[in-house]
């Protein structure tokens, strides 16, 4: 009888369980912060409106109240969208847990039920590989054809791919910086300097364009906050203003190097994977390595 090593298999499958839970945590925190921020601003606006109500006519008061009502309506819509996404992630987590829970009911690898489960697992592994390599549409079709939509983190990988393209091909940090702003507290816990690297690249692009005054203003606004941890690099960045993009001085040539955009795209992917507890390499590679090592042949 071929006994199934359930603990080993669950250890390999762990990212499939943790990924939606990490996404759920991010959405809940972001929704909570947004609600608290908007409520505080609306409350302050109402207080200010009450104090100045004696100096306002009816039309001005109606306009001010209408603006606040519109803000609250927008907040309500965004919270409803977040609630819908939370429900989807909770359902996805339950489905994944139930699927992996079937392992405990199998007695041997030769069971027909285990063979069926293994075939579905292979599809899941292929879906993960396709998503990581940018074949999102193909992954979604395979998931739909086999009823495995709850195992496809399509939205997460689509975000990664879109941001990577923006960095690598368009040489823009906009999307990556927006994502960093939404996840700043989590990045701080990871001790990640991704946002600094992105800000530094925007500074370099201003220096490349010869916009010295704008570069200095940008550094004051966005780089000085990182001084305690990044002072040597900030100092080198300021010295970059004295060099042309075609410089042969190695440290500054490296800063002007266009290859930094590729490095930033790779760094963004690595940080997202860390944040959502995803392994850096596809599960397909891990399983192949495990299988080859188990063969124990001279060729392997």
């Amino acid at each position: 009888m071929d006994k199934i090593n359930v603990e080993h298999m669950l250890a390999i499958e762990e990212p499939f369980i943790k990924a939606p839970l990490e996404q759920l945590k991010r959405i809940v925190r972001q929704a909570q912060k947004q609600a608290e921020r908007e409520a505080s601003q609306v409350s302050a606006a109402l207080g200010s409106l009450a104090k100045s109500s004696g100096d306002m006519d009816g039309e001005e008061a109606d306009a001010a109240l209408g603006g606040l009502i519109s803000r609250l309506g927008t907040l309500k819509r965004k919270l409803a969208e977040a609630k819908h996404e939370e429900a989807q992630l909770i359902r996805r987590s339950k489905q994944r847990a139930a699927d992996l829970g079937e392992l405990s009911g199998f007695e041997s690898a030769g069971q027909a039920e285990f063979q069926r489960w293994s075939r579905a697992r292979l599809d899941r592994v292929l879906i993960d590989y396709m998503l990581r390599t940018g074949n999102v549409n193909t992954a979604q079709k395979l998931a739909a054809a086999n009823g495995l939509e709850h195992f496809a983190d399509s939205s997460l990988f689509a975000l990664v791919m879109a941001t990577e393209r923006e960095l690598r091909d368009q040489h823009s940090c906009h999307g990556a910086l927006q994502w960093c702003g939404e996840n700043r507290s989590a990045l701080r816990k990871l001790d990640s300097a991704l946002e600094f690297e992105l800000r530094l690249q925007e500074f370099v692009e201003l220096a490349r364009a010869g916009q010295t005054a704008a570069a200095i203003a940008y550094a004051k606004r966005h780089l000085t906050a990182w001084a305690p941890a990044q002072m040597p690099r900030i100092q080198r960045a300021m010295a970059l203003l004295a060099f042309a993009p075609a410089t042969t001085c190695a440290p500054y040539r490296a800063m002007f190097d266009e290859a930094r955009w590729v490095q930033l795209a790779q760094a963004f992917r690595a940080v997202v994977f860390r944040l959502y507890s995803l392994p850096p390499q596809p599960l397909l590679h891990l399983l192949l390595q495990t299988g080859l090592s188990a063969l124990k042949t001279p060729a392997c």
Side-chain angles (χ1 to χ4, degrees):
M1 182 181 293
D2 297 326
K3 189 175 181 180
I4 301 171
N5 190 335
V6 176
E7 291 185 3
H8 175 69
M9 295 186 71
L10 287 177
I12 294 177
E13 300 282 348
E14 182 180 6
F16 281 123
I17 290 294
K18 296 185 72 172
L21 294 177
E22 291 295 334
Q23 292 180 66
L24 179 61
K25 285 166 57 179
R26 304 279 169 265
I27 291 173
V28 170
R29 288 174 182 171
Q30 289 172 10
Q32 181 181 2
K33 288 180 180 179
Q34 186 175 29
E36 291 174 350
R37 182 172 61 251
E38 286 293 332
S40 176
Q41 292 175 356
V42 169
S43 178
L46 282 172
S48 177
L49 183 62
K51 291 180 181 179
S52 58
S53 59
D55 302 325
M56 301 172 65
D57 57 32
E59 291 184 0
E60 290 176 334
D62 286 344
L65 288 172
L68 294 177
I69 292 172
S70 177
R71 287 184 63 175
L72 290 174
T74 301
L75 174 61
K76 181 181 178 180
R77 175 179 56 79
K78 290 182 177 179
L79 291 178
E81 292 173 356
K83 185 176 181 180
H84 176 69
E85 193 168 357
E86 288 171 18
Q88 287 184 319
L89 289 169
I90 291 172
R91 183 167 59 253
R92 186 180 303 171
S93 297
K94 289 181 177 179
Q95 289 172 320
R96 294 187 184 189
D99 186 85
L100 296 180
E102 292 181 16
L103 274 173
S104 60
F106 301 135
E107 296 180 358
S108 73
Q111 277 185 268
E113 293 82 0
F114 180 74
Q115 295 299 320
R116 173 196 56 77
W117 187 91
S118 296
R119 284 193 293 271
R121 183 197 195 196
L122 177 59
D123 288 334
R124 291 195 279 105
V125 170
L126 291 174
I127 290 168
D128 173 72
Y129 180 80
M130 291 174 184
L131 289 173
R132 287 171 179 266
T133 53
N135 300 297
V136 178
N137 291 334
T138 305
Q140 289 175 333
K141 289 179 180 178
L142 178 59
N146 295 280
L148 295 170
E149 293 92 340
H150 56 286
F151 270 102
D153 295 307
S154 303
S155 58
L156 176 60
F157 282 100
L159 168 68
V160 172
M161 299 300 169
T163 307
E164 282 183 323
R165 283 194 298 270
E166 187 181 49
L167 289 166
R168 185 180 57 248
D169 302 333
Q170 301 175 24
H171 291 184
S172 171
C173 297
H174 176 74
L177 282 171
Q178 182 178 354
W179 182 86
C180 286
E182 294 170 353
N183 296 277
R184 186 167 289 121
S185 60
L187 292 176
R188 195 177 297 117
K189 291 178 181 178
L190 290 179
D191 196 25
S192 170
L194 176 62
E195 184 175 358
F196 171 77
E197 296 294 343
L198 294 167
R199 294 294 184 188
L200 180 61
Q201 187 62 33
E202 290 206 324
F203 173 88
V204 169
E205 294 308 310
L206 290 172
R208 191 195 308 275
Q211 301 179 31
T212 303
I216 293 173
Y218 187 92
K220 289 180 179 178
R221 182 177 180 182
H222 296 293
L223 297 184
T224 53
W226 296 85
Q230 302 288 348
M231 180 56 77
R233 299 191 64 196
I234 294 173
Q235 291 172 333
R236 179 170 291 178
M238 299 310 296
L240 183 72
L241 297 174
F243 293 84
T247 181
T248 57
C249 185
Y252 303 102
R253 184 177 70 243
M255 293 183 71
F256 277 124
D257 194 340
E258 297 283 355
R260 270 186 54 83
W261 288 105
V262 176
Q263 296 168 4
L264 285 172
Q266 294 171 344
F268 178 80
R269 170 181 284 241
V271 169
V272 171
F273 283 5
R274 282 182 62 198
L275 197 61
Y276 291 103
S277 302
L278 293 169
Q281 58 180 322
L283 186 57
L284 178 62
H285 291 179
L286 296 174
L287 292 176
L288 284 173
Q289 291 169 6
T290 302
L292 290 172
S293 63
L295 291 176
K296 297 181 180 179
T297 65
C300 299

